Amino acid sequence: QQVGKLAPDAPQVVHFSADGIRQQNVFSRHCGGCHRLLSADGGGLGSGSAGPNLSGLLTRYYPAGFAGQHPWTEHRLRRWLTNPRRVKPFAVMRPVSLKADEFAYLVKLLASSP
């Protein structure tokens, strides 16, 4: 056997956090089809490119872009997700219905920066 090569029958080990899969799916299920996110808590999430990258959306580093160039806040995010067309009349995004714990975790992801 060569150095650095695994034996053909050697098991592959993958580590996941206990909450990671469930919590990652909050973003993946509701946002990840159109958006991507790189966060300190969740790592790289989402696979979409139709919507903007949401990395750091709720941090001071994200460009202000909420209805008239206001910075994103938790309250503004909730308004946007509830009815995007009420905020921006011709928005393509559909409303996103989240449970309270899902929204709280999404806020935590969007407020963290890698």
Side-chain angles (χ1 to χ4, degrees), residues 24-97:
Q24 172 185 342
N25 286 334
V26 170
F27 185 86
S28 297
R29 277 192 324 258
H30 297 287
C31 313
C34 295
H35 299 278
R36 291 178 188 220
L37 169 70
L38 180 61
S39 73
D41 293 337
L45 303 173
S47 59
S49 58
N53 187 313
L54 300 178
S55 301
L57 179 74
L58 298 177
T59 67
R60 62 184 175 139
Y61 304 108
Y62 199 85
F66 180 87
Q69 299 304 313
H70 297 286
W72 284 91
T73 64
E74 184 175 337
H75 173 72
R76 290 177 177 149
L77 176 63
R78 185 178 301 279
R79 279 185 48 209
W80 175 259
L81 293 176
T82 301
N83 190 347
R85 291 186 186 126
R86 185 174 293 157
V87 176
K88 185 177 177 185
F90 298 105
V92 177
M93 186 172 152
R94 63 175 176 72
V96 178
S97 179

